[in-house]
Short mmCIF file of all heavy atoms in Angstrom, two decimals:
data_model
loop_
_atom_site.label_atom_id
_atom_site.label_comp_id
_atom_site.label_asym_id
_atom_site.label_seq_id
_atom_site.Cartn_x
_atom_site.Cartn_y
_atom_site.Cartn_z
N GLY A 609 262.17 110.16 26.32
CA GLY A 609 261.19 109.14 26.64
C GLY A 609 260.09 109.69 27.52
O GLY A 609 258.93 109.41 27.33
N GLY A 610 260.45 110.54 28.50
CA GLY A 610 259.46 111.15 29.37
C GLY A 610 258.59 112.13 28.59
O GLY A 610 257.39 112.22 28.79
N ASP A 611 259.24 112.91 27.71
CA ASP A 611 258.51 113.93 26.95
C ASP A 611 257.62 113.27 25.90
O ASP A 611 256.62 113.86 25.49
CB ASP A 611 259.48 114.90 26.27
CG ASP A 611 260.13 115.83 27.27
OD1 ASP A 611 259.62 115.92 28.38
OD2 ASP A 611 261.11 116.47 26.91
N ALA A 612 257.93 112.10 25.43
CA ALA A 612 257.13 111.47 24.39
C ALA A 612 255.71 111.33 24.82
O ALA A 612 254.78 111.53 24.04
CB ALA A 612 257.69 110.08 24.06
N GLN A 613 255.48 111.00 26.11
CA GLN A 613 254.12 110.88 26.58
C GLN A 613 253.42 112.20 26.65
O GLN A 613 252.22 112.29 26.65
CB GLN A 613 254.13 110.17 27.92
CG GLN A 613 254.60 108.73 27.82
CD GLN A 613 254.59 108.03 29.15
OE1 GLN A 613 253.90 108.43 30.06
NE2 GLN A 613 255.35 106.97 29.26
N ARG A 614 254.20 113.32 26.77
CA ARG A 614 253.59 114.62 26.82
C ARG A 614 253.34 115.24 25.42
O ARG A 614 252.72 116.27 25.33
CB ARG A 614 254.45 115.56 27.68
CG ARG A 614 254.40 115.25 29.17
CD ARG A 614 255.04 116.32 29.97
NE ARG A 614 256.46 116.34 29.87
CZ ARG A 614 257.28 115.66 30.64
NH1 ARG A 614 256.82 114.88 31.56
NH2 ARG A 614 258.60 115.72 30.52
N LEU A 615 253.85 114.62 24.39
CA LEU A 615 253.70 115.15 23.06
C LEU A 615 252.33 114.95 22.55
O LEU A 615 251.90 115.62 21.57
CB LEU A 615 254.68 114.49 22.10
CG LEU A 615 256.18 114.86 22.31
CD1 LEU A 615 257.00 114.08 21.36
CD2 LEU A 615 256.37 116.32 22.15
N VAL A 616 251.53 114.04 23.11
CA VAL A 616 250.18 113.80 22.66
C VAL A 616 249.25 114.82 23.33
O VAL A 616 249.14 114.84 24.53
CB VAL A 616 249.72 112.40 22.99
CG1 VAL A 616 248.29 112.12 22.49
CG2 VAL A 616 250.69 111.38 22.38
N PRO A 617 248.55 115.65 22.54
CA PRO A 617 247.64 116.61 23.15
C PRO A 617 246.41 115.92 23.75
O PRO A 617 246.15 114.75 23.39
CB PRO A 617 247.26 117.52 21.98
CG PRO A 617 247.51 116.72 20.75
CD PRO A 617 248.60 115.76 21.11
N PRO A 618 245.72 116.59 24.63
CA PRO A 618 244.50 115.97 25.16
C PRO A 618 243.49 115.63 24.05
O PRO A 618 243.55 116.29 23.01
CB PRO A 618 243.95 117.05 26.10
CG PRO A 618 245.07 118.00 26.35
CD PRO A 618 246.01 117.92 25.17
N ALA A 619 242.63 114.73 24.31
CA ALA A 619 241.63 114.34 23.32
C ALA A 619 240.86 115.59 22.86
O ALA A 619 240.38 116.37 23.67
CB ALA A 619 240.66 113.31 23.89
N SER A 620 240.81 115.75 21.57
CA SER A 620 240.31 116.98 20.99
C SER A 620 238.78 116.99 20.90
O SER A 620 238.14 115.98 20.89
CB SER A 620 240.88 117.11 19.56
OG SER A 620 240.38 118.19 18.88
N GLU A 621 238.23 118.20 20.79
CA GLU A 621 236.85 118.36 20.47
C GLU A 621 236.63 117.96 18.99
O GLU A 621 237.58 117.80 18.25
CB GLU A 621 236.40 119.81 20.64
CG GLU A 621 236.46 120.27 22.09
CD GLU A 621 235.50 119.53 22.99
OE1 GLU A 621 234.32 119.34 22.58
OE2 GLU A 621 235.90 119.09 24.04
N THR A 622 235.34 117.78 18.63
CA THR A 622 235.11 117.32 17.26
C THR A 622 234.48 118.42 16.42
O THR A 622 233.86 119.37 16.92
CB THR A 622 234.13 116.10 17.27
OG1 THR A 622 232.95 116.45 18.03
CG2 THR A 622 234.83 114.92 17.98
N ILE A 623 234.60 118.23 15.09
CA ILE A 623 233.99 119.13 14.10
C ILE A 623 233.04 118.27 13.22
O ILE A 623 233.44 117.18 12.74
CB ILE A 623 235.07 119.76 13.19
CG1 ILE A 623 235.99 120.65 13.99
CG2 ILE A 623 234.41 120.51 12.05
CD1 ILE A 623 237.11 121.25 13.17
N LEU A 624 231.88 118.77 13.01
CA LEU A 624 230.89 118.14 12.11
C LEU A 624 230.99 118.79 10.74
O LEU A 624 230.95 120.04 10.62
CB LEU A 624 229.47 118.27 12.66
CG LEU A 624 228.34 117.88 11.73
CD1 LEU A 624 228.40 116.35 11.45
CD2 LEU A 624 226.99 118.22 12.34
N ASN A 625 231.18 117.98 9.67
CA ASN A 625 231.25 118.49 8.33
C ASN A 625 230.17 117.83 7.48
O ASN A 625 230.28 116.62 7.21
CB ASN A 625 232.66 118.23 7.76
CG ASN A 625 232.81 118.73 6.33
OD1 ASN A 625 231.95 119.42 5.81
ND2 ASN A 625 233.88 118.37 5.73
N VAL A 626 229.13 118.57 7.12
CA VAL A 626 228.00 118.01 6.36
C VAL A 626 228.27 118.32 4.88
O VAL A 626 228.56 119.45 4.51
CB VAL A 626 226.66 118.65 6.79
CG1 VAL A 626 225.52 118.17 5.91
CG2 VAL A 626 226.37 118.35 8.22
N SER A 627 228.20 117.26 4.05
CA SER A 627 228.55 117.42 2.63
C SER A 627 227.45 116.89 1.71
O SER A 627 227.63 116.79 0.52
CB SER A 627 229.87 116.68 2.32
OG SER A 627 229.70 115.30 2.65
N GLY A 628 226.31 116.55 2.27
CA GLY A 628 225.21 116.01 1.43
C GLY A 628 223.86 116.13 2.15
O GLY A 628 223.80 116.70 3.26
N GLU A 629 222.83 115.62 1.49
CA GLU A 629 221.49 115.72 2.05
C GLU A 629 221.32 114.75 3.19
O GLU A 629 221.55 113.54 3.05
CB GLU A 629 220.43 115.45 0.96
CG GLU A 629 219.05 115.73 1.45
CD GLU A 629 218.01 115.61 0.37
OE1 GLU A 629 218.38 115.71 -0.84
OE2 GLU A 629 216.83 115.38 0.68
N LEU A 630 220.93 115.27 4.33
CA LEU A 630 220.77 114.44 5.54
C LEU A 630 219.39 113.81 5.60
O LEU A 630 218.44 114.33 4.98
CB LEU A 630 220.95 115.33 6.81
CG LEU A 630 222.34 115.97 6.90
CD1 LEU A 630 222.35 116.95 8.09
CD2 LEU A 630 223.42 114.99 7.04
N PRO A 631 219.20 112.72 6.35
CA PRO A 631 217.90 112.12 6.50
C PRO A 631 216.94 113.10 7.24
O PRO A 631 217.40 113.79 8.15
CB PRO A 631 218.14 110.88 7.32
CG PRO A 631 219.46 111.13 8.00
CD PRO A 631 220.26 111.99 7.10
N ARG A 632 215.70 113.15 6.78
CA ARG A 632 214.78 114.14 7.39
C ARG A 632 213.98 113.58 8.55
O ARG A 632 213.59 114.30 9.44
CB ARG A 632 213.78 114.60 6.27
CG ARG A 632 214.46 115.41 5.21
CD ARG A 632 213.48 116.14 4.35
NE ARG A 632 214.16 116.93 3.37
CZ ARG A 632 214.13 116.68 2.08
NH1 ARG A 632 213.46 115.63 1.60
NH2 ARG A 632 214.81 117.46 1.27
N ASP A 633 213.72 112.25 8.51
CA ASP A 633 212.88 111.66 9.57
C ASP A 633 213.16 110.19 9.69
O ASP A 633 214.01 109.64 9.00
CB ASP A 633 211.40 111.95 9.31
CG ASP A 633 210.99 111.54 7.93
OD1 ASP A 633 211.60 110.59 7.34
OD2 ASP A 633 210.00 112.08 7.38
N GLY A 634 212.40 109.56 10.54
CA GLY A 634 212.48 108.10 10.70
C GLY A 634 213.69 107.64 11.47
O GLY A 634 214.38 108.41 12.14
N GLU A 635 213.97 106.35 11.34
CA GLU A 635 215.08 105.75 12.08
C GLU A 635 216.44 106.34 11.63
O GLU A 635 217.34 106.51 12.46
CB GLU A 635 215.07 104.22 11.83
CG GLU A 635 216.06 103.47 12.73
CD GLU A 635 215.97 101.97 12.52
OE1 GLU A 635 214.90 101.48 12.10
OE2 GLU A 635 216.97 101.31 12.79
N ALA A 636 216.58 106.59 10.35
CA ALA A 636 217.81 107.19 9.85
C ALA A 636 218.11 108.50 10.54
O ALA A 636 219.24 108.80 10.95
CB ALA A 636 217.76 107.40 8.33
#
């Protein structure tokens, strides 16, 4: 029970994965 709380790693960094054409300008 005590270890269960330690099994969760700290909040991770993020990865950006681009798979299509991104907006070039404007509000988008």
Side-chain angles (χ1 to χ4, degrees):
D611 288 344
Q613 294 180 21
R614 288 191 287 271
L615 290 177
V616 180
S620 176
E621 294 297 315
T622 56
I623 295 177
L624 171 65
N625 180 9
V626 176
S627 58
E629 188 174 338
L630 298 174
R632 293 194 178 111
D633 52 27
E635 189 177 336

